[in-house]
Amino acid sequence: MALPPPDPQFVLRGTSAAVHTLHFSCGGSEPDIPLLFSGSENGFIHIWNLKTHRVDTALDGHGRKSVCCVETMGGRDRLLSQGRDQRICLWDLAEGRTSVTDSVFTEHVGFCRCSLLKVAQGRWLMAMAARSLEEVQILELPSKTSVCTLKPEMGAKLGMPMCLKLWQLSCDSQPLLLAGYEDGSVVLWNVAMGKALSQLICHQEPVMSLDFDAEKAKGISGSSEKVLSIWSLNEQQNLQVYKTHKLVNAGISDITIRPDKKILATAGWDHRIRIFGWKKLKPLAVLDCHTATVHCVCFSDHNNPQDRLLAAGSKDQRISVWSIYAQT
Amino acid sequence: VSFIPDGLDCSISFVSHVLGKVCVHGRQKEILGVLMPHLTDLTKSDCIWQRICWRLVECVPDRWMEAVVLGFVQGAPGADVLSRLLGNLVVKNKKAQFVVTQKMLLLQYGHTTAVLQNLLGYLSLDSLRRTLLLRVLQELLETWSSSSAVKHSPAEQQLYISKAILICLSHLKEPEIESCRQELLTSMMEGVKCHLDSSLPQLRRLGMVVAESISLKINTEGPVLKFEYEEDDETRKLKSLLVQTPPLCVVPSLPDDDRSEKAGAALPLVPESNEKPHTAAPVMPDEELDAELDSDDDLTPYDMSEDKELKIKAPVYIRDCIEVLTGARSEDVDKWEATVKALESLVRKNPAATREVSVELAKILLHLEEKTCIEGFVELRQRAQVAVLTTDPIPVAKYLTSQFYSLNYSLRQRMDILDVLVLAAQELSCPKFHGKTKHSGAQKRCIQLLPGSDSSKDWRRIVDERIKSKTRRFAMGQSHVELASRQNEFNSVAGHFFFPLIQHFDRPLTTFDLLGEDHLVLGRLVHTLAILMYLAVNTVAVTAMGKALLEFVWALRFHTDSYVRQGLLSCISSLLLSVPTERILLDMTEELLETQSWLGDVMEKDPDGDCRRLALQNLLLMENLKKKLEAVPS
C-alpha cells in the first residue's frame, strides 16, 4: 500500500510576485546558514534563510523586470543573476554587501536562462542567448570576453534557443553545450570549435527545459506537450532518442536531476511537481501543493545527504521546500 | 435525299432554298438529321464536297438563314465538323454572323453546353473567324461584368454566359491573351465585384469561378486569384470547360487544341520548410545488469492515484459567469473557455437567477468575441443566447430588437440577432414533452395545419425547409396519441419579437441602411419575419401581425434583389398559413385582392425562377382558402 505523497517541509511566502528561479547554497560548513536564492517577476532577488524561513536580504538590480536565472559562482558571496531587462548582473555579497560589481548587456529579449560552467579556478564559461534570434554566445567570466558565437547553419530554422546547458565530462575535457530550441530540437555544440556536433528532434513543440547527466551521457528534455524525452549521447557524440515518457497533463517548465543522479524533478504547468527515478524514469511521486504553474525546481547541495531538499517556485508566489527521498 | 456528284457547275441554290424552307418551318431536325451525317462523311476528305456544302449554306436566303444555321450548330457532332460544313459562312454572311455571335450567345440561353462548345470551337478553328471569337469574348465579358445584368437577368442566363466565357477562354492562345490582357483584367475586376454583391449564393459562386478562371489565364506565373467556396457539381463542370480535349480528327490548319498545359499554370507553391535531420531510431540500451537495477528498487513510489488530468472548473452561478466573461483578469483564459462551454446549461437550469440578469447577459453575449480558439464557439454563443432569450423573452427581445436597429453593429451581429430570435421563437412555440408518455422522443412528424390540401404539397415542404430545424412536434388532435398539451409560450411574446423588427426598416442610420446597400440584411430580415409569422399560428396577436406584414410586403414588393423578393413571397405564405382563414377574408379582403394581382404578375414576369414558383404556390394557397370557406356551410 503506497503512502500518500509527503507534505512540504515548509512553504516560503513573501516574494509578492511569481517565482521564476531558485538556487540553493547550502554546501558551506558551520556557521554558514543554508541559503536559498529566489528570483521573482518583480525584479527582486530574495535571499532566504533556511533556518528562520525568512528573507534575509532582497536585491534589486534588474529595474523591476523579471529575474529569470540566479546562480552562485563558487560560493555564496558571488552571485550571478539574469533578468529580462536584458542584463546579466554579477553581485558581490561578501560581508553583507549587496552591490553589483559587473554586468553584461545581453540584448536578448527572450526567456532563455543562461548556463554557467566552472572551467578553472576563478574562471567560468557562460552560455547565453544573444541578440540575434538563433544564436548562442559563450562568454568567459569574469573577463567578459567572448569565446565564440554558436550560429546554426543558414536555413536551419531552429528558432530561438529556449534552454542551455554547458557541461564537460571532466575538468580537462572540452566544454560542450546542449541547447534546446523553439522547433523542438536539441543540438550539441562544441564550444571550442564553435560548431554543432549533433542535432536531434525531441519534441514537436519548443523545448522548455533540459538537463543532462554527463557521467551516463543521458539527458532529458521537457516541452509544452505531454511528453518527456530522454536521449543519450553515444561515442561518436551523436544524440539519439532513448525513450519517451507520456505525462498526464501537458507542459513542463523546468527539469532538474539531483546531483547524486538518483532522482529527477519536473515542474509542471498543471501545478504539480513530479519526481522520477533517473535510471528508468520510474514515476515516484506527484507533489501537489501549488495552485498555479510551477516555474522552477531545484535540488539543494547539502553535504549531508539527509538534509537534502527540493525547492519549487510557482506563479502563486510561494516556494515550497520538500524533503523527499533524502535517505537513499 | 442523296447527292449525285455531277460536276462543280451545277447550281445548288435550289437545294439551298428547299433546305431553308424546310428549316424555317421547324423541320430542322428531320432534314438535317439525314443530311448531316451524309455531308459529314462526304466532306471528311473531299475538298470538292466541302465546297459544295459551303455553297449550299451560303445560298440559303437571308430570311431562312437563321433557322438553317441554328439547325447546323445544334446538330453538328463537333466543332470540327461544323467547321467543315459551314466554312467561313459567318464571315461572309451578315445574318449568319449575327445569329452565331449575338443571338445564340447573348439573346438566347437555352442551348446545351455541347452546342456552345460547337459554336465557339467553330469560331476558333479558322484564323479569319478568330477575330470574331475575340469580339464574342469581349461582348460576353461586358455582359458578365455589368451590374444591372447580374441583378436582373435570370440565374440560368448567367450560368450560360459564364459557360460561354470559360469555353472562349479555353480556346484563346497566348498572343491573343497578351493583346487583350488589360481588358480581361478590368472586366474581371468589375464583374467579380457585381457578382459578390449579389445575395444569391449561386451567383456569387459563378462569379468566383469565372474570375478564378480568367485570373488563371492571364497570369501564367505568379499568384493566381483563388476564392474559397464549396465545390459542387456545377462548379466542377464549369471548371472542366476550361480545358479543351483535342479534337478527334485534326483540322490541317491548326495545331493541337489541347490547352491543358495552360490550365496547369502555377499556383504559388508555399516554400517547403527545410528538411530536418531525421530522428534516429530509438536505441535500446544493453540490459544493464546487477547493481544498477538494485539502486532503483530502493526508491519506493508514493501513492499517485490522485494524479489526474487537470480540469478547470466552470463557475456554478450565473453571476460568476458574468464576472468571468466580462473578465478583468484576461489571463484566466482556461476559466473563460470553461464558462463559455457551460453557460447554456447553467442558464437553463437556473431560470430564476437568469431572469434577474437576463438583459445584462444578453448584452455580454452579443458582444462576446472569441478570446481563445474554442471549437464551435459561434454555436456555443448562439445556444447561450437562445437559452437566455427563451428564459426571459420579453425584456431580452426588447433589447435585441432595439440593438438590431442601433448604430455600430456589424452585419454579422445584426444577422446573428435575427437568427437568435428565430431559434428562440421556434423553441417557445413548440410544446416540450417531459418524457412521461410512451411515444416521447420517437416522434418526428411534420405539421398538418390545413388538412386535406392535396393540391400542391410543395408549399409545405418549402416552408418547412425555411424553418431550419429537422424535427417539430406539435400537439396533435389525433386520438391514438395522448400527448400532454401545454400553454403556447410564444403567445405572450410573439408581438414583442415581431413588431419592433418591422417598425424601423425604412429609417436609415449612418452605418446601416436596410433599403440601400444592406439588402442582404433586409433579405434576412424578411425571411425572419416570415418564420416568426409562421410560428405565430394560434397566438392572439397573429391577425395584427398579419396585417402589419401585409403592409410591409406591399411596400417592398418591387425590390430589385431576388433574395428579398423570395422572402416577401414566403411572408405571404406564412401569413396565409397562420392567420385564421376567417380573419383573412374578413379583415384583409382588399389587400388580399391586390396581393393576388401582384402575385399573378410575379408569376408571369419575375426573372427569378424561385420567385415565380413561390408566387404560384401562394396563389394556390389562396385558392384553397376560398374553397375551404365555400365548403363550410354558412
Side-chain angles (χ1 to χ4, degrees):
Chain A
M1 177 58 191
L3 293 170
D7 287 328
Q9 235 189 33
F10 46 90
V11 174
L12 300 172
R13 294 158 217 270
T15 54
S16 29
V19 179
H20 282 288
T21 177
L22 292 168
H23 189 83
F24 276 100
S25 176
C26 314
S29 45
E30 293 287 321
D32 280 343
I33 325 161
L35 293 180
L36 174 63
F37 295 89
S38 75
S40 317
E41 198 159 313
N42 56 5
F44 280 92
I45 301 163
H46 296 275
I47 308 181
W48 298 85
N49 182 324
L50 291 176
K51 285 252 157 60
T52 63
H53 305 171
R54 294 263 199 288
V55 176
D56 269 355
T57 332
L59 307 172
D60 179 11
H62 287 280
R64 303 306 159 94
K65 293 275 167 53
S66 176
V67 178
C68 58
C69 178
V70 275
E71 288 214 35
T72 52
M73 293 168 72
R76 59 184 55 197
D77 292 337
R78 293 176 69 175
L79 187 71
L80 177 143
S81 68
Q82 180 185 14
R84 295 213 61 228
D85 58 342
Q86 301 177 36
R87 288 203 317 159
I88 294 182
C89 293
L90 296 169
W91 300 79
D92 173 20
L93 302 174
E95 290 151 18
R97 292 190 285 267
T98 56
S99 51
V100 178
T101 51
D102 211 349
S103 70
V104 176
F105 190 52
T106 63
E107 295 182 83
H108 174 63
V109 293
F111 297 85
C112 182
R113 293 181 184 147
C114 62
S115 172
L116 270 184
L117 178 69
K118 184 168 184 178
V119 286
Q121 190 61 13
R123 264 180 54 218
W124 283 266
L125 280 183
M126 178 180 73
M128 64 183 201
R131 173 161 165 232
S132 172
L133 205 50
E134 296 191 345
E135 290 176 3
V136 174
Q137 227 185 353
I138 314 278
L139 293 185
E140 198 197 313
L141 291 178
S143 58
K144 298 199 304 194
T145 46
S146 167
V147 172
C148 68
T149 311
L150 303 175
K151 237 188 292 221
E153 58 187 34
M154 278 295 287
K157 288 213 181 168
L158 295 173
M160 292 195 301
M162 304 287 297
C163 46
L164 302 168
K165 175 128 183 120
L166 273 174
W167 61 281
Q168 52 184 169
L169 194 46
S170 58
C171 284
D172 21 324
S173 53
Q174 294 219 13
L176 297 165
L177 172 73
L178 279 165
Y181 288 87
E182 212 181 335
D183 71 333
S185 51
V186 172
V187 177
L188 177 68
W189 294 88
N190 181 318
V191 170
M193 297 197 290
K195 58 179 238 268
L197 294 173
S198 167
Q199 177 178 353
L200 179 67
I201 298 180
C202 303
H203 297 279
Q204 304 301 316
E205 302 274 321
V207 180
M208 288 294 171
S209 171
L210 57 81
D211 203 358
F212 188 67
D213 177 356
E215 291 145 33
K216 296 209 193 70
K218 226 164 69 168
I220 180 170
S221 59
S223 150
S224 52
E225 43 183 29
K226 278 191 184 176
V227 177
L228 284 174
S229 176
I230 300 99
W231 27 271
S232 62
L233 203 58
N234 64 8
E235 294 80 40
Q236 290 86 31
Q237 306 282 50
N238 277 332
L239 292 167
Q240 291 158 322
V241 173
Y242 180 74
K243 68 197 248 192
T244 57
H245 179 86
K246 200 157 183 319
L247 299 164
V248 173
N249 290 309
I252 294 285
S253 329
D254 199 7
I255 301 185
T256 181
I257 306 176
R258 200 161 75 171
D260 68 348
K261 316 290 191 230
K262 288 237 177 93
I263 60 173
L264 68 97
T266 65
W269 291 1
D270 58 351
H271 325 329
R272 295 173 202 164
I273 306 156
R274 289 161 205 281
I275 312 282
F276 296 88
W278 180 221
K279 291 277 166 350
K280 296 201 196 126
L281 213 75
K282 176 166 127 185
L284 292 174
V286 175
L287 307 174
D288 193 5
C289 118
H290 287 283
T291 54
T293 303
V294 185
H295 283 307
C296 50
V297 274
C298 182
F299 281 103
S300 70
D301 54 346
H302 282 94
N303 289 329
N304 183 356
Q306 308 268 6
D307 297 337
R308 282 175 302 182
L309 297 170
L310 163 70
S314 159
K315 192 171 158 184
D316 65 2
Q317 306 176 4
R318 311 266 182 270
I319 302 170
S320 56
V321 182
W322 313 72
S323 168
I324 190 163
Y325 293 116
Q327 274 70 36
T328 55
Chain B
V1 179
S2 57
F3 271 78
I4 310 161
D6 48 347
L8 272 163
D9 297 2
C10 80
S11 152
I12 317 184
S13 53
F14 174 66
V15 187
S16 309
H17 276 66
V18 169
L19 181 62
K21 192 100 195 239
V22 172
C23 286
V24 103
H25 280 297
R27 297 281 178 217
Q28 291 145 317
K29 278 212 200 83
E30 285 85 345
I31 188 167
L32 289 174
V34 180
L35 198 54
M36 269 221 268
H38 281 279
L39 286 175
T40 317
D41 283 332
L42 289 168
T43 52
K44 212 181 268 191
S45 39
D46 194 342
C47 277
I48 301 180
W49 270 110
Q50 278 186 15
R51 280 233 272 286
I52 295 180
C53 190
W54 297 351
R55 195 91 187 99
L56 176 70
V57 280
E58 279 163 29
C59 291
V60 172
D62 270 354
R63 57 190 182 280
W64 300 325
M65 182 59 84
E66 180 184 331
V68 174
V69 171
L70 211 58
F72 267 92
V73 176
Q74 281 175 324
D80 48 327
V81 174
L82 194 59
S83 174
R84 283 206 307 266
L85 296 178
L86 293 183
N88 279 337
L89 180 63
V90 284
V91 181
K92 296 183 197 153
N93 187 307
K94 284 269 173 279
K95 188 82 193 257
Q97 195 179 89
F98 175 73
V99 170
V100 170
T101 60
Q102 304 272 9
K103 193 152 185 181
M104 284 184 77
L105 290 171
L106 298 169
L107 299 173
Q108 298 174 337
Y109 55 93
H111 301 291
T112 63
T113 320
V115 169
L116 271 178
Q117 292 268 22
N118 281 352
L119 201 156
L120 295 166
Y122 162 63
L123 285 179
S124 72
L125 282 176
D126 185 282
S127 48
L128 281 176
R129 302 196 290 257
R130 283 192 87 94
T131 41
L132 286 178
L133 181 70
L134 287 174
R135 206 191 326 150
V136 156
L137 179 60
Q138 265 172 4
E139 286 177 9
L140 284 171
L141 280 173
E142 243 182 76
T143 316
W144 182 75
S145 57
S146 112
S147 66
S148 63
V150 174
K151 274 196 211 154
H152 299 293
S153 39
E156 294 80 12
Q157 183 168 25
Q158 301 202 31
L159 180 59
Y160 183 80
I161 292 189
S162 309
K163 279 192 206 165
I165 294 179
L166 291 173
I167 299 178
C168 275
L169 284 175
S170 72
H171 283 294
L172 286 185
K173 289 196 273 205
E174 256 310 309
E176 289 156 342
I177 299 183
E178 271 302 321
S179 61
C180 57
R181 184 183 292 258
Q182 200 48 42
E183 292 153 30
L184 281 176
L185 189 60
T186 352
S187 327
M188 177 182 91
M189 301 302 277
E190 283 174 25
V192 85
K193 197 169 72 125
C194 316
H195 281 266
L196 290 177
D197 212 17
S198 157
S199 314
L200 295 173
Q202 188 200 17
L203 290 180
R204 289 201 292 265
R205 265 212 307 270
L206 267 181
M208 289 193 250
V209 173
V210 174
E212 275 185 14
S213 317
I214 298 181
S215 158
L216 197 64
K217 281 286 169 192
I218 60 182
N219 293 334
T220 46
E221 51 210 83
V224 202
L225 189 58
K226 187 108 185 79
F227 284 103
E228 271 184 29
Y229 49 80
E230 277 175 35
E231 288 266 348
D232 69 347
D233 284 338
E234 191 178 278
T235 52
R236 274 189 282 263
K237 270 192 227 153
L238 282 173
K239 281 197 192 160
S240 68
L241 292 174
L242 260 189
V243 180
Q244 283 290 333
T245 50
L248 294 168
C249 31
V250 182
V251 176
S253 56
L254 277 184
D256 194 14
D257 248 6
D258 192 355
R259 293 271 180 266
S260 50
E261 61 271 358
K262 287 276 165 55
L267 288 165
L269 286 175
V270 174
E272 293 290 336
S273 51
N274 278 320
E275 298 278 335
K276 296 208 184 121
H278 287 294
T279 62
V283 169
M284 287 312 293
D286 296 321
E287 288 299 335
E288 282 165 34
L289 313 157
D290 328 27
E292 308 285 42
L293 278 171
D294 288 345
S295 53
D296 239 4
D297 290 344
D298 286 359
L299 305 166
T300 49
Y302 287 95
D303 176 31
M304 290 181 279
S305 55
E306 291 297 309
D307 187 20
K308 282 178 218 128
E309 264 192 52
L310 199 61
K311 281 201 183 108
I312 306 286
K313 294 207 191 108
V316 189
Y317 299 105
I318 300 273
R319 287 188 194 267
D320 287 345
C321 290
I322 294 183
E323 246 185 71
V324 174
L325 290 177
T326 53
R329 295 185 49 207
S330 54
E331 305 118 35
D332 224 346
V333 280
D334 292 320
K335 198 135 193 187
W336 185 90
E337 267 187 35
T339 308
V340 171
K341 287 185 192 157
L343 190 57
E344 187 205 351
S345 50
L346 270 179
V347 166
R348 288 191 193 272
K349 282 192 211 143
N350 301 298
T354 311
R355 271 183 223 120
E356 290 169 20
V357 287
S358 57
V359 177
E360 199 184 327
L361 203 47
K363 190 166 175 183
I364 295 171
L365 284 171
L366 188 59
H367 293 96
L368 195 68
E369 278 177 40
E370 204 168 344
K371 237 192 223 176
T372 66
C373 195
I374 312 182
E375 238 179 82
F377 172 76
V378 176
E379 209 197 310
L380 285 170
R381 180 178 63 181
Q382 194 178 64
R383 297 223 312 243
Q385 284 174 305
V386 172
V388 173
L389 185 49
T390 50
T391 314
D392 196 10
I394 297 183
V396 179
K398 207 159 149 187
Y399 172 72
L400 286 177
T401 49
S402 66
Q403 295 306 295
F404 180 72
Y405 283 109
S406 298
L407 289 171
N408 294 334
Y409 279 100
S410 69
L411 290 185
R412 182 73 256 164
Q413 280 170 314
R414 295 188 208 269
M415 294 200 282
D416 278 346
I417 292 179
L418 294 177
D419 287 342
V420 170
L421 285 169
V422 163
L423 288 171
Q426 217 181 302
E427 209 182 292
L428 288 172
S429 60
C430 246
K432 297 179 244 277
F433 301 122
H434 291 290
K436 298 286 164 64
T437 66
K438 283 181 270 181
H439 309 275
S440 67
Q443 294 154 21
K444 291 179 194 224
R445 294 193 213 195
C446 288
I447 31 141
Q448 301 239 348
L449 286 179
L450 295 178
S453 13
D454 298 304
S455 44
S456 39
K457 302 256 191 249
D458 281 347
W459 55 262
R460 200 198 299 157
R461 191 174 42 81
I462 293 209
V463 176
D464 287 359
E465 279 162 23
R466 288 275 153 69
I467 301 188
K468 304 164 214 175
S469 73
K470 298 178 194 108
T471 73
R472 236 170 294 106
R473 296 179 226 116
F474 278 77
M476 311 228 289
Q478 296 181 358
S479 54
H480 67 282
V481 175
E482 287 299 323
L483 300 170
S485 54
R486 282 168 56 109
Q487 185 181 25
N488 183 349
E489 288 168 34
F490 193 48
N491 182 27
S492 40
V493 300
H496 290 273
F497 278 42
F498 183 83
F499 289 109
L501 281 182
I502 211 174
Q503 254 181 342
H504 298 298
F505 75 93
D506 49 359
R507 254 187 253 170
L509 304 166
T510 8
T511 56
F512 183 51
D513 183 9
L514 273 179
L515 294 179
E517 297 184 324
D518 298 314
H519 46 84
L520 179 61
V521 185
L522 179 63
R524 293 291 284 265
L525 175 64
V526 174
H527 280 274
T528 304
L529 291 171
I531 298 175
L532 289 177
M533 181 78 237
Y534 180 76
L535 291 170
V537 68
N538 301 330
T539 63
V540 168
V542 72
T543 316
M545 284 167 67
K547 274 213 184 124
L549 195 57
L550 208 46
E551 245 182 74
F552 175 74
V553 170
W554 195 247
L556 289 175
R557 69 192 186 283
F558 292 129
H559 201 275
T560 46
D561 188 324
S562 9
Y563 185 60
V564 173
R565 286 200 305 275
Q566 286 171 11
L568 293 172
L569 291 165
S570 49
C571 282
I572 303 277
S573 313
S574 307
L575 207 155
L576 294 171
L577 290 171
S578 298
V579 181
T581 329
E582 299 79 17
R583 295 255 66 81
I584 298 183
L585 292 175
L586 286 175
D587 290 346
M588 303 184 224
T589 3
E590 287 141 21
E591 291 96 331
L592 221 56
L593 285 173
E594 287 175 341
T595 313
Q596 201 171 21
S597 58
W598 169 57
L599 286 174
D601 231 11
V602 171
M603 184 177 74
E604 283 168 29
K605 298 191 200 139
D606 194 296
D608 184 79
D610 285 323
C611 287
R612 292 196 297 270
R613 241 173 286 130
L614 283 170
L616 176 60
Q617 278 151 14
N618 280 333
L619 284 170
L620 283 167
L621 269 177
M622 284 184 158
E623 282 302 312
N624 284 337
L625 279 181
K626 285 219 195 99
K627 271 194 224 150
K628 227 186 80 176
L629 219 57
E630 283 160 23
V632 173
S634 47

